[in-house]
């Protein structure tokens, strides 16, 4: 038994399965910036040598590189976490207008429960906002199957396609059947000014086009097998999608289901027909009332919904009964051990200095955000990527006399700190910005970035010189110091720089202790 | 005595090799020919936070996560986490917590605690040696594989003797 299955099946996470599905579907180019829970999609794609796969400096850049390849005529993919999609919204909104030559898939991984994120946004709304179709798998095996569908839909309807995952699907594993790769020959380079040069006149025509495209997608949504009606006991029926479907099936195996895999545009007729065929119908979805509002808009009076308290947090099999019954959330998640900086982490030394000097610290996203927690408790803001630099400037405008510093990690600085530093210099800001340089993207598991001089496949490449870059951006002083073993020297340096009427960057450089050798 | 499905909860703190252990079981079950699902709950696990993992194999399940009272076996790697994890266990489920100290005593390298506890669990599961061997090949790098297999087999033997003296 074992020998036979092992050739055809593998034990894959949702992210690995999605990568495998994209590879089998003839993917050529993929780009992303690391972000939990999406990171393993690109790491997994990087193991297929025939693909062009890159860590880009941020999500906007990644989106544009991958989308450019699709306009160039090869199947391509962009992957991100939910907040990463915000960074790529600018190209996404107009990519919807321009469409594609070859298939282009946008994978977004939401994080209900915020296992490792700064907010709990529900990216399904992006489909409505950008007028793009949204596919939603429930399992790793479906992630693999749906991404292949997504490439087909992209080419058939001339549209980018969003595949929306959640942490639970990205990071769950199951046995997944493997297939062969189907090559897709590249299309010729298309000079289509009326499609790809988004002047107002062109954009107007394309806006007409995407309104019509939505109608066609709506019709497709009615007939695709991705939206699946399972009629069993008609006393109780669920309209659901994503991992909620798995939890419900576990607890209500005899009920009827309308499982939505092609989530948006909605299959209105299917939804109405399903509601009419069951006695009681309950809409079950994590996070926002996305299906709920649409089902209400369809005038389905008998539909039941979750209690608003369940718009926060992740579901699980123990909670799903209460969700389905419309009860209020009453079980608070049990307190778990909070994470801490690793023993020996270079950030300990830097944060001990920030704490000792009693500074107000504009923080940023990375392992070092843990510096906000005891025992260091030395971070006072953390909103989004790059804001360690820009918040520092804004806070100083509000309180010119206060002792304020900014901190940002090396990877985060390259992602979106550079523009903030140029802005600070240009607008004559003063103060001290720390780049906490651990020579990796540590929080997501240690991915390389431009300042490490290595690619996603660990090949050597041009290495970005952070100190030289900061000088070019207009920093008056750039100091590089190893914080470990030099706490006193670091403290003196910070005091000196804070005293000066200058814009200073202090790069605290020491590798992450978990860095892959 | 073979059951239709096997549900196992693993838990402890980041860095104890819990994910690796559940990975090993997942592959072994797959090589044995079972449908299998696994899911984890961990925030930033490299940094010492709580880690929890669920593996299920056999027939008739949909959810990758277990609910309260669904686990047939509990493998807890850290005393502080035991109370929190115990709610996953069925009334007649098997709690392998008492093996934690015995497993720890078997090894000289704390990094192998996961392998030793897996050996104990293996004594209860319908997965045969060739599937475990292949799973070790898939999950462990060659350098440390042999040593881990030895610990695993030793722990399994010890547990088998204790269950059926
Ligand atoms: S992973 Fe690296 S950077 Fe992050 S806390 Fe641990 S040692 Fe520090």
């Amino acid at each position: 038994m074992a020998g036979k299955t092992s050739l055809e099946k593998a034990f894959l996470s949702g992210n690995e399965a999605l990568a495998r599905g994209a590879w089998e579907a003839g993917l050529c180019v993929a780009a992303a910036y690391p972000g939990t829970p999406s990171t393993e999609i690109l790491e997994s794609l990087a193991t297929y040598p025939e693909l062009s796969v890159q860590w880009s400096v941020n999500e906007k850049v990644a989106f544009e590189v991958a989308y450019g390849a699709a306009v160039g005529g090869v199947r391509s993919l962009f992957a991100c976490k939910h907040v990463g999609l915000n960074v790529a919204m600018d190209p996404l909104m107009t990519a919807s207008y321009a469409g594609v030559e070859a298939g282009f898939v946008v994978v977004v991984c939401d994080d209900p429960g915020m296992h490792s994120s700064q907010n709990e946004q529900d990216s399904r709304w992006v489909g409505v906002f950008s007028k793009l179709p949204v596919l939603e798998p429930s399992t790793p095996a479906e992630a693999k199957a749906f991404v292949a569908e997504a490439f087909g839909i992209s080419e058939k309807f001339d549209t980018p396609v969003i595949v929306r995952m959640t942490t639970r699907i990205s990071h769950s594993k199951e046995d997944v059947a493997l297939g062969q790769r189907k090559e897709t020959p590249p299309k010729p380079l298309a000079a289509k000014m009326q499609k790809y040069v988004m002047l107002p006149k062109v954009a107007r025509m394309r806006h007409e086009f995407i309104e019509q495209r939505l109608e066609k997608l709506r019709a497709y949504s009615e007939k695709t097998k991705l939206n699946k009606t399972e009629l069993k006991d008609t006393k109780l029926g669920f309209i659901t999608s994503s991992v909620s479907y798995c939890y419900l099936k576990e607890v209500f195996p005899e009920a009827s289901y309308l499982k939505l895999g092609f989530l948006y545009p909605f299959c209105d007729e299917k939804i109405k027909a399903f509601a009419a065929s069951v006695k009681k119908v309950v809409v079950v979805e994590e996070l926002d009332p996305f299906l709920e509002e649409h089902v209400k808009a369809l005038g389905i009076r008998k539909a039941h919904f979750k209690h608003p308290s369940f718009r926060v947090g992740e579901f699980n099999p123990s909670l799903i009964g209460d969700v389905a019954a419309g009860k209020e959330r009453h079980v608070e998640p049990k307190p778990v051990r909070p994470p801490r900086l690793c023993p020996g982490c270079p950030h300990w030394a830097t944060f001990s200095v920030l704490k000792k000097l009693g500074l107000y610290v504009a923080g940023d996203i990375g392992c070092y955000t843990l510096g906000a927690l005891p025992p260091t408790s030395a971070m006072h803001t953390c909103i989004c990527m790059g804001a360690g630099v820009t918040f520092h400037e804004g806070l100083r405008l509000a309180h010119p006399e206060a002792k304020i510093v900014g901190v940002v990690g090396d990877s985060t600085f390259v992602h979106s700190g550079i523009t903030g530093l140029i802005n600070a210099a240009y607008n004559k800001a003063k103060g001290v910005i720390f780049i906490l340089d651990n020579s990796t993207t540590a929080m997501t598991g240690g991915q390389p970035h431009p300042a490490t001089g290595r690619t996603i496949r660990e090949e050597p490449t041009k290495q970005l010189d952070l100190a030289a870059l900061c000088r070019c951006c207009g920093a008056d002083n750039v100091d590089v110091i190893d914080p470990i073993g030099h706490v006193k020297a670091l403290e003196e340096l910070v005091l000196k720089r804070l005293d000066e009427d200058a814009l200073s960057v202090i790069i605290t450089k020491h590798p992450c202790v978990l860095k892959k050798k | 005595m073979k059951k239709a499905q096997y549900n196992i909860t693993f838990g402890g703190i980041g860095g104890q090799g819990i994910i690796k252990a559940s990975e090993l079981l997942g592959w072994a079950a797959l090589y044995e020919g079972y449908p299998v699902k696994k899911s984890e709950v961990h925030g930033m696990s490299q940094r010492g936070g709580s880690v929890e993992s669920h593996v299920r194999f056999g027939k008739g399940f949909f959810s990758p996560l277990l609910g309260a009272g669904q686990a047939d076996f509990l493998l807890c790697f850290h005393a502080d986490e035991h109370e929190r994890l115990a709610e996953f266990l069925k009334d007649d489920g098997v709690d392998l917590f008492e093996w934690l100290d015995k497993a720890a005593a078997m090894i000289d390298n704390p990094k192998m605690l996961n392998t030793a506890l897996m050996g104990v669990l293996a004594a209860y599961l319908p997965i045969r040696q060739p599937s475990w061997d292949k799973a070790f090949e898939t999950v462990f790098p060659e350098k440390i594989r042999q040593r881990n297999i030895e610990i695993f087999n030793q722990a399994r033997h010890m547990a088998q003797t204790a269950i059926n003296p």
Side-chain angles (χ1 to χ4, degrees):
Chain A
M1 187 157 52
K4 192 164 159 282
T5 50
S6 65
L7 289 172
E8 302 147 2
K9 285 196 163 187
F11 186 50
L12 300 183
S13 70
N15 284 346
E16 291 164 338
L18 188 141
R20 174 76 192 197
W23 175 80
E24 288 179 11
L27 180 80
C28 290
V29 175
Y33 178 82
T36 313
S38 67
T39 311
E40 301 83 5
I41 297 171
L42 265 271
E43 290 185 323
S44 185
L45 285 171
T47 63
Y48 299 97
E50 60 272 63
L51 307 185
S52 277
V53 178
Q54 64 168 262
W55 288 133
S56 309
V57 298
N58 65 33
E59 291 86 354
K60 174 174 145 63
V61 171
F63 185 105
E64 290 160 357
V65 169
Y67 177 52
V71 170
V74 297
R75 287 191 166 185
S76 60
L77 178 146
F78 160 72
C80 60
K81 68 183 294 178
H82 56 330
V83 287
L85 191 59
N86 302 343
V87 178
M89 279 305 283
D90 190 7
L92 176 102
M93 292 303 289
T94 307
S96 173
Y97 279 52
V100 300
E101 293 302 307
F104 179 52
V105 174
V106 173
V107 184
V108 56
C109 303
D110 283 0
D111 189 17
M114 292 177 281
H115 298 283
S116 187
S117 301
Q118 68 270 37
N119 80 25
E120 204 171 24
Q121 72 188 47
D122 189 330
S123 301
R124 295 177 298 172
W125 300 106
V126 174
V128 183
F129 187 40
S130 63
K131 302 178 192 281
L132 292 174
V134 180
L135 271 50
E136 198 170 37
S138 295
T139 62
E142 280 192 358
K144 176 171 175 290
F146 282 24
V147 74
E149 292 278 342
F151 279 112
I153 293 167
S154 174
E155 286 166 6
K156 182 164 183 211
F157 293 94
D158 188 11
T159 181
V161 175
I162 297 171
V163 176
R164 189 249 191 180
M165 309 267 282
T166 63
T167 302
R168 191 56 52 207
I169 298 158
S170 285
H171 286 174
S172 289
K173 289 200 162 194
E174 67 183 2
D175 51 305
V176 176
L178 304 181
Q180 298 297 320
R181 175 169 165 90
K182 275 222 303 275
E183 295 292 344
T184 52
K187 308 219 165 89
L189 199 56
K192 296 182 183 167
M193 188 265 187
Q194 300 295 327
K195 197 167 181 303
Y196 296 116
V197 183
M198 228 27 97
L199 286 163
K201 184 169 149 263
V202 176
R204 208 203 127 77
M205 282 177 344
R206 293 304 292 181
H207 191 181
E208 303 275 0
F209 166 78
I210 63 175
E211 294 301 332
Q212 290 157 12
R213 184 179 72 197
L214 262 186
E215 286 313 310
K216 288 184 189 145
L217 287 164
R218 208 162 269 142
Y220 185 79
S221 181
E222 297 290 356
K223 59 175 214 263
T224 171
K225 58 184 189 319
L226 300 183
N227 291 331
K228 197 170 64 178
T229 304
E230 299 169 15
L231 281 183
K232 275 187 162 176
D233 181 353
T234 54
K235 283 205 285 298
L236 176 62
F238 291 105
I239 301 176
T240 189
S241 71
S242 191
V243 75
S244 303
Y245 170 76
C246 307
Y247 300 152
L248 287 167
K249 286 288 277 189
E250 185 90 19
V251 179
F252 304 97
E254 294 311 318
S256 294
Y257 287 86
L258 173 57
K259 178 192 176 301
L260 301 175
F262 189 103
L263 195 72
Y264 183 80
F266 296 103
C267 50
D268 293 354
E269 299 310 319
K270 245 185 203 167
I271 293 171
K272 285 190 251 176
F274 179 75
S277 67
V278 293
K279 193 146 169 281
K280 178 178 179 186
V281 61
V282 187
V283 175
V284 176
E285 59 189 326
E286 283 181 321
L287 299 182
D288 288 353
F290 182 79
L291 297 172
E292 174 178 335
E293 291 197 354
H294 192 73
V295 166
K296 282 180 176 161
L298 288 175
I300 300 172
R301 295 257 181 87
K302 68 176 176 185
H304 296 259
F305 307 100
K306 67 174 186 259
H307 188 274
S309 54
F310 277 111
R311 292 176 188 174
V312 180
E314 197 183 16
F315 295 168
N316 63 45
S318 308
L319 291 177
I320 203 77
D322 283 358
V323 174
K327 288 192 192 153
E328 195 172 344
R329 179 194 282 273
H330 65 272
V331 218
E332 282 313 311
K334 289 226 170 120
V336 294
R337 239 177 139 88
R340 278 169 70 117
L341 295 171
C342 302
C345 173
H347 299 328
W348 283 116
T350 308
F351 276 94
S352 73
V353 171
L354 299 178
K355 183 188 165 103
K356 180 166 175 216
L357 298 179
L359 302 173
Y360 188 97
V361 180
D364 217 309
I365 309 249
C367 288
Y368 51 92
T369 313
L370 297 172
L373 305 177
T376 48
S377 310
M379 184 179 295
H380 305 93
T381 64
C382 171
I383 304 292
C384 63
M385 296 286 282
V389 182
T390 42
F391 251 58
H392 166 261
E393 187 182 340
L395 288 161
R396 277 179 170 258
L397 290 175
H399 287 280
E401 301 311 317
K403 293 257 179 253
I404 299 168
V405 298
V407 303
V408 59
D410 47 339
S411 186
T412 308
F413 181 70
V414 178
H415 178 286
S416 43
I418 300 168
T419 45
L421 184 60
I422 296 171
N423 191 71
Y426 172 59
N427 290 298
K428 304 180 182 176
K430 311 292 180 214
V432 178
I433 305 292
F434 287 81
I435 300 178
L436 309 176
D437 182 357
N438 56 12
S439 305
T440 187
T441 314
M443 190 168 69
T444 46
Q447 293 74 25
H449 60 71
T452 67
R454 283 167 300 115
T455 69
I456 189 167
R457 293 190 172 114
E458 295 291 335
E459 293 151 359
T461 183
K462 284 183 185 156
Q463 185 169 12
L464 176 66
D465 181 338
L466 287 179
L469 174 69
C470 292
R471 283 187 205 100
C472 287
C473 291
D476 299 307
N477 307 298
V478 179
D479 302 290
V480 181
I481 181 170
D482 182 342
I484 293 194
H486 306 99
V487 168
K488 190 81 201 123
L490 178 61
E491 189 186 322
E492 281 161 11
L493 177 65
V494 176
L495 287 173
K496 178 167 158 230
R497 291 304 181 210
L498 275 173
D499 254 3
E500 292 168 355
D501 185 34
L503 178 63
S504 302
V505 173
I506 298 176
I507 302 176
T508 56
K509 193 171 169 66
H510 192 103
C512 162
V513 297
L514 295 189
K515 208 176 127 185
K516 295 169 195 154
K517 300 275 149 48
Chain B
M1 263 259 307
K2 207 164 137 176
K3 309 175 205 243
Q5 56 173 256
Y6 289 79
N7 300 304
I8 299 104
T9 294
F10 299 75
I13 63 172
Q16 288 190 302
I18 289 156
I19 306 298
K20 190 105 174 166
S22 61
E23 187 79 5
L24 181 76
L25 173 56
W27 279 100
L30 177 123
Y31 288 136
E32 193 69 28
Y34 290 108
V36 52
K37 281 184 192 282
K38 162 170 119 86
S39 196
E40 287 141 30
V41 181
H42 60 92
M44 300 139 101
S45 62
Q46 294 164 332
R47 287 158 289 277
S50 301
V51 179
E52 178 184 316
S53 180
H54 304 259
V55 177
R56 37 199 338 201
F57 64 90
K59 278 204 280 271
F61 51 79
F62 295 90
S63 167
L65 272 180
L66 295 176
Q70 267 196 303
D72 302 290
F73 297 93
L74 173 62
L75 248 80
C76 181
F77 288 56
H78 198 286
D80 291 358
E81 297 287 304
H82 187 250
E83 196 194 319
R84 189 176 69 80
L85 295 167
E87 72 164 32
F88 285 103
L89 205 56
K90 281 181 180 161
D91 288 342
D92 61 350
V94 180
D95 188 346
L96 298 176
F97 191 52
E98 58 174 278
W99 284 93
L100 185 61
D101 291 338
K102 284 183 228 169
M106 273 179 56
I107 48 173
D108 39 24
N109 180 350
K111 283 210 166 121
M112 290 198 191
L113 181 68
N114 56 355
T115 303
L117 278 172
M118 282 306 293
V120 174
L121 175 67
Y124 293 87
L125 300 180
I127 295 176
R128 290 161 299 175
Q129 190 66 44
S131 301
W132 286 114
D133 287 343
K134 277 174 80 178
F136 271 103
E137 221 165 278
T138 308
V139 175
F140 282 83
E142 203 180 338
K143 232 172 50 201
I144 55 168
R145 190 181 302 145
Q146 204 41 47
R147 184 75 192 115
N148 275 281
I149 293 177
E150 284 163 21
I151 293 285
F152 175 87
N153 286 337
Q154 201 186 324
R156 182 160 67 158
H157 183 75
M158 187 170 83
Q160 264 159 353
T161 320
I163 307 165
N164 301 311

